[in-house]
Amino acid sequence: IALPLYAANPDTGIKEFGKNKKLHLFDPFLWHLCEEWCMQAIERKNEVIAEACVATHVARFLFEKQGGRRFSDFISYWKNGYEIDVVAHTNKGLLGFEIKWSDKENAFAFKAGPIKNLTYVSKGFFRKEKPAVIPIALFLAML
């Protein structure tokens, strides 16, 4: 039911288990259930559910392509001043995915960071030039 994301060192790709981790629930229904059960509204719920959806689908995709024991073997996150929501560990290196629940072009300003292959996933905005911005529906359909 839950997918743990551990912090990763962007230079080596090694997960740093001593740092904070993020937990994503696989099913959006579980987010709604937790919200009702705890009687506490989730702030930015659509953005949180979109981030969890992208993380779980990327993990599933890499698990099927590369094999392994756990979905969490292939993904992590990175945070140092700003955050990269999902870092995919592939055979060709690290790929970063930043989820922005927005359609405004200025929300996708490129920040030079340690992960060179960075793609933004948006609510519905598309841009082909670097950094690429892909709508979430199209991104998930491509997996």
Side-chain angles (χ1 to χ4, degrees), residues 36-53:
E36 289 295 320
W37 187 62
C38 295
M39 293 183 283
Q40 181 69 34
I42 298 172
E43 294 179 23
R44 304 177 358 259
K45 181 167 56 173
N46 289 336
E47 186 175 348
V48 169
I49 290 174
E51 185 178 327
C53 185

Side-chain angles (χ1 to χ4, degrees), residues 17-53:
F17 296 103
K19 291 188 175 182
N20 289 339
K21 63 183 164 196
K22 295 168 73 173
L23 284 175
H24 289 299
L25 300 175
F26 273 86
D27 192 344
F29 172 73
L30 295 172
W31 285 103
H32 297 293
L33 187 66
C34 289
E35 185 178 46
E36 289 295 320
W37 187 62
C38 295
M39 293 183 283
Q40 181 69 34
I42 298 172
E43 294 179 23
R44 304 177 358 259
K45 181 167 56 173
N46 289 336
E47 186 175 348
V48 169
I49 290 174
E51 185 178 327
C53 185

Side-chain angles (χ1 to χ4, degrees), residues 63-128:
F63 180 80
E64 289 173 4
K65 291 290 180 190
Q66 298 180 10
R69 295 185 316 171
R70 294 177 296 275
F71 285 162
S72 62
D73 290 344
F74 304 106
I75 62 170
S76 58
Y77 78 98
W78 179 79
K79 186 172 186 175
N80 187 10
Y82 66 96
E83 179 179 25
I84 297 176
D85 295 321
V86 178
V87 176
H89 301 258
T90 67
N91 295 334
K92 297 178 182 178
L94 299 177
L95 302 174
F97 301 100
E98 176 66 26
I99 293 86
K100 297 281 188 188
W101 199 244
S102 175
D103 283 335
K104 298 177 183 171
E105 187 171 356
N106 61 354
F108 306 102
F110 182 69
K111 297 175 184 169
I115 309 245
K116 303 301 179 209
N117 298 322
L118 180 64
T119 301
Y120 286 96
V121 179
S122 71
K123 185 177 183 180
F125 180 74
F126 178 78
R127 180 175 64 205
K128 190 176 180 179

